[in-house]
Each structure stands twice: as structure tokens, then as C-alpha cells.
Amino acid sequence: MNSVGVTMENAIEVRDLVVERGRRRVLHGISCDVAAGRVTGLLGPSGSGKTTLIRAVVGVQVVRSGTVTVLGRPAGSAPLRREVGYVTQAPSVYADLSVRENARYFAALHGLGAPVADRAIADVGLAAAAGQLVGNLSGGQRSRASLACALIGDPGLLVLDEPTVGQDPVLRADLWSRFHELAAGGTTLLVSSHVMDEAGRCDRLLLIREGLLIGDGAPAAIRARAGTDDLEEAFLRLIQERPEVAA
Amino acid sequence: MSLRITFATAGRILRQLRHDRRTVALLLVVPALLLGLLFFMYDGPGATFDRIALTMLGIFPFVIMFLVTSIAMLRERTTGTLERLLTTPLGRLDLLFGYGLAFGLAATLQGAVATGAAYWLLGLRTTGSAGLVVLIAVLNAVLGVALGLFCSAFARTEFQAVQFLPVVVVPQILLCGLFVPREQMAGWLGAISDVLPLTYAVEALTQVGSSAGLTATMGRDLVVVAGAAVVALTLAAATLRRRAP
């Protein structure tokens, strides 16, 4: 299913993206690229515009101006609906269905059968809980159930909004190595997080604050530019470099 | 639109319903119990009970499916599953027809139980067949589903969603001819009654009460109700935007 993305250098290209929600301008003309076959982290504090940028990438956000190109097509265009897996911040799975029933429904939407659904459940470590109602799961399990539904159909691009919130450290490490396995297989991942200790696990980072891109590059490059080994500290220094942030 | 996805969606909605046993029990039993109440209110079988029970067999599925659908669709919106579904190959009509199909099936079961209870336990008598009553009940349920899908677009909370019941459903019940015969209504009330789809459903049921077989009026009424359901579904599709502000 990765046919659209494999030859491209950038899976996502965002140019001068401006988004307003209500009367508030949330993104102030962002331009950035997400390299194909890599894990790119979208880092920034809560309220910085991460989710809005992600929604623009999956094509559910009305944008004021600018363009978002995903796997060579305008974001949200019909062929992309088979190529992009999306996990929203709040686990968007049906609480009144079991994990298996959820996964099988999303598999059916892609024209795929039960074995694919069961494999996705096993991939996120929920095989033992497959028969349980999602509403009875813990928060961390619920977001893994949501992730399983996004893995179905082997999308060329996975867009994950804070997928590791509420996971215990061991599971979090498992999920990150799973993300890198997927990237090694050619999948592009865009993963948002507000936790800086996850930044070091990404191949590339996009740092965003108050709707502006303040850093873009490999973790090592960002560390070097800010002159510190600590990414949290690097982020702080990058913010201080540009104290004037448009309201 | 894809039949496969529509059926998968209907199956998913029915599975959700199946996990909620209390709702299933209420859906199946409550209309029959309310008919039982009517039976005792009107001192057993007779012309008045026949007229009112017959009308109620059409009104119950309309009201109940309107409410159930409004809440179910609102949940899809507030829990983020709708946003997610719209990033998958699912088409907007797949979702809407999936709901129509799933709750239409639920309404068939409900209608069969309520109609069976009315004829066999409560002695309801009609000139026309019970099968036609169930058919009209199911059509009314689909109309309720379609209006519920449409109205849920204008509600942000469950509180708002249930408020559409008095706005959209109650006037149709008041003006359908059950309380005041339509020919005795003031002209402007009659005109409003003329454009409300439930009026035609009730007229069709009244026809089942008085005539054997499918009459021309009944046929026209059923087309009007089905047409209103299609219009409401189309309007509901227009409210489902892939992109939100």
C-alpha cells in the first residue's frame, strides 16, 4: 500500500499554512517538510498548534491559506484515505465495542478481513485484551486500541497525535521501537508529543510554539544549534532566541 | 458510496447496540407496555382503542428512533470517531445509510413485537393486515433516524440533542390528526399539518384500519414518508463535512 510514497523524499510538505479557529489565529504561516520513511516528532507545549497542524495534514481542518501536500497530493484528497492512518489525541474508538470488533470494523472500511485486524491488535500488545470492551480498558490500553485501528491497511503515512500519553515506560519504549520498525519498512510517521524526553527518539524534530515553527532538524542538529545536549534546554534556548511571537 | 462499507457500518452499529442489553430490552418492550397502558385507559378493546393504538404503532418507532439516532450520532461527533471515519475510505452516505439500515432493522423487531402484542394480547382489530402496520412502522422509524441524523448536526451536547424532540417531533404528533381531526383544524394549522411527514404516516395507518389491502391514498402516503426520509438523509449528508473549522 506504500506505492504512492516510496519514491518521494518528502511525505508531507506544508507551505505558509495559516489556520484560524474561531477568531483566533492558531497557525501563523508554517512551512515544513516531513521526510518519507522517517519518524518525525512534532514537539511543543500544549496549545501550541500541534493538533491543528496534524488535522490539516489529515485533511479535516479548514485552512485559511497555504498548502499541505501529503504523499504528492493535496491533504484530504480521496486516494489518501487509504494511505493515511490517523490517531486522534483522545482515543477515537467505540467504547461500547470490544477491541476486536473495533479493529475488524476499521479493517472492513479498508476492505480487509479479520486476520489483518487481529495482527494489528497483536502489534500493539493488546492480544490478551482483544475480547474486552474498550470502555472497560485503562487509558493507555484504550489509546493502543486506537493505534491498532490506524495500523490497519499498512498506511504509507501514520499521523499520531500524542500516542504515548498514559503508557507505562516499558510500553512506551515498545511503541517507539515499533514506530522505528515501521519506518524501516518504509512507513512515514509524524508523531506529536509534549514530552521532551520523547524528542530524542525521533529521527527529525519539528518544534512548534504559539503557532510558529521555531526549530526543524535532526535532534543532534538542534542540540548543536542551541549549544546544549539537553533537548528540553535546547527548546528553551530556541524560544529565547525569538522572544517576539506574533499574537 | 460502497455497499460493503454501508453493511459493515450497519453491522458495527448493531454490535454496539447488542452490547447494550438494557437499551435493547427497553426498545423491544416499552412500546408494547405503553399499548397495554392505552388498553386499560380505554377500558379494553373497542373502536377508540383501535384508532389510538394503531396511530401509536406508527408514532412510537418514529419518536424512539429519532432520539436514539440523535444521541448515537452526537456521540460519533463528540468522541472523535466521526472525524476519524472521515479520514478513511468511508463515504458520508455509507455512514448515514448504515445508520438507517441498522436502526431500521431494530425498528422491524420493535414493530413486530409491538404489533404482535397489539393484535394478539390486546385484541386490536383492523380491516387491513398487520404486515402493513409493521411496514409503516418501519418506514416511520427510518424517517425518525433520518431526522435524528440531520438534527444531531445542530446539537453540541446531549442536552441540546434531546431538546430537538419537542421542536421537531412533538408538533408532528400534535398536528397529525390524532388529537384534533385534520378536517376540523383551522386552515393555517391544516397547512402546517400538510407539510409534516408524520401526518401521512398516520393517514396510512388509518387507512389500514378501514380498508383491506393497499389503497391509492396509502400508496401515496408511503411514498411521501419515504421521500421525506430521503430528503432528511440528503440534508444530513450536507451537514457532514470532512473539514471542520
Side-chain angles (χ1 to χ4, degrees):
Chain A
M1 290 281 248
N2 294 353
S3 54
V4 182
V6 278
T7 55
M8 249 169 291
E9 200 176 311
N10 289 327
I12 305 173
E13 292 179 354
V14 178
R15 294 290 172 268
D16 308 316
L17 181 66
V18 176
V19 174
E20 286 171 354
R21 302 190 77 175
R23 289 206 192 102
R24 209 166 62 86
R25 184 162 285 203
V26 183
L27 298 181
H28 305 265
I30 284 194
S31 296
C32 60
D33 295 328
V34 171
R38 297 291 178 84
V39 181
T40 299
L42 177 60
L43 275 287
S46 176
S48 56
K50 297 189 299 290
T51 296
T52 304
L53 180 56
I54 277 182
R55 294 183 74 241
V57 167
V58 299
V60 297
Q61 175 67 52
V62 173
V63 305
R64 174 70 193 255
S65 62
T67 58
V68 183
T69 310
V70 175
L71 305 173
R73 297 171 191 276
S77 54
L80 289 178
R81 286 176 209 140
R82 302 192 162 275
E83 289 288 334
V84 179
Y86 172 37
V87 177
T88 50
Q89 198 166 357
S92 46
V93 276
Y94 297 99
D96 46 3
L97 289 181
S98 69
V99 177
R100 186 181 291 123
E101 286 168 330
N102 267 291
R104 287 191 180 175
Y105 175 53
F106 282 94
L109 295 181
H110 289 272
L112 299 167
V116 176
D118 294 344
R119 205 181 60 220
I121 293 169
D123 275 351
V124 298
L126 275 183
Q132 285 188 49
L133 287 185
V134 166
N136 296 336
L137 299 178
S138 71
Q141 286 175 316
R142 228 183 267 206
S143 60
R144 274 184 287 148
S146 189
L147 178 62
C149 295
L151 293 175
I152 282 160
D154 296 326
L157 170 66
L158 267 176
V159 181
L160 313 175
D161 199 357
E162 309 232 0
T164 57
V165 170
Q167 306 293 350
D168 78 60
V170 177
L171 269 168
R172 212 151 60 139
D174 282 354
L175 284 174
W176 276 100
S177 54
R178 179 83 197 117
F179 296 161
H180 284 287
E181 278 170 41
L182 286 163
T187 306
T188 305
L189 289 98
L190 177 62
V191 184
S192 84
S193 176
H194 65 268
V195 197
M196 275 300 155
D197 65 358
E198 298 204 311
R201 299 178 183 272
C202 301
D203 299 323
R204 289 184 72 87
L205 292 177
L206 298 170
L207 300 179
I208 177 174
R209 184 167 184 269
E210 296 188 4
L212 288 167
L213 194 69
I214 59 166
D216 179 359
I222 286 177
R223 286 190 186 102
R225 200 181 117 199
T228 170
D229 274 349
D230 180 26
L231 277 168
E232 178 119 33
E233 177 63 27
F235 193 19
L236 280 175
R237 289 189 189 173
L238 289 173
I239 292 167
Q240 281 154 5
E241 266 179 30
R242 47 160 81 213
E244 297 296 319
V245 172
Chain B
M1 193 182 159
S2 137
L3 269 186
R4 178 176 50 77
I5 293 181
T6 304
F7 283 128
T9 302
R12 183 264 295 173
I13 295 161
L14 287 172
R15 250 169 244 125
Q16 286 178 284
L17 204 55
R18 201 187 58 197
H19 283 296
D20 187 354
R21 299 224 177 108
R22 191 174 303 174
T23 297
V24 173
L26 289 170
L27 276 178
L28 291 181
V29 174
V30 169
L33 287 179
L34 291 174
L35 287 174
L37 191 62
L38 277 176
F39 178 84
F40 291 111
M41 281 165 61
Y42 291 100
D43 288 328
T48 317
F49 172 74
D50 286 350
R51 184 176 74 85
I52 294 175
L54 193 55
T55 309
M56 285 301 169
L57 281 171
I59 290 178
F60 289 148
F62 176 66
V63 176
I64 293 169
M65 291 304 161
F66 175 86
L67 260 187
V68 170
T69 312
S70 311
I71 299 289
M73 193 62 190
L74 189 74
R75 267 198 214 162
E76 294 255 22
R77 287 177 201 274
T78 53
T79 59
T81 49
L82 179 65
E83 175 170 305
R84 181 179 204 166
L85 286 179
L86 293 177
T87 67
T88 71
L90 166 130
R92 294 183 294 177
L93 289 180
D94 296 330
L95 182 66
L96 297 175
F97 281 99
Y99 267 104
L101 204 60
F103 287 135
L105 273 173
T108 310
L109 268 183
Q110 183 190 54
V113 171
T115 309
Y119 279 93
W120 291 322
L121 296 180
L122 307 173
L124 174 70
R125 280 156 311 169
T126 55
T127 316
S129 81
L132 274 175
V133 175
V134 176
L135 174 74
I136 297 168
V138 171
L139 213 52
N140 274 357
V142 173
L143 177 68
V145 169
L147 284 174
L149 289 172
F150 174 59
C151 289
S152 76
F154 304 100
R156 292 194 164 191
T157 65
E158 277 88 348
F159 285 161
Q160 292 175 9
V162 294
Q163 290 306 316
F164 280 108
L165 187 80
V167 174
V168 176
V169 172
V170 173
Q172 302 205 50
I173 298 175
L174 294 179
L175 293 174
C176 72
L178 175 67
F179 294 97
V180 178
R182 281 174 21 87
E183 51 278 8
Q184 288 172 27
M185 284 179 194
W188 63 278
L189 284 177
I192 297 175
S193 171
D194 282 346
V195 296
L196 297 177
L198 192 65
T199 303
Y200 298 88
V202 169
E203 186 181 63
L205 284 167
T206 313
Q207 294 260 311
V208 178
S210 58
S211 11
L214 192 80
T215 65
T217 313
M218 208 189 289
R220 185 209 61 182
D221 289 341
L222 296 186
V223 170
V224 170
V225 176
V230 170
V231 170
L233 275 180
T234 313
L235 289 174
T239 64
L240 272 187
R241 295 280 163 80
R242 283 194 194 264
R243 285 181 188 269

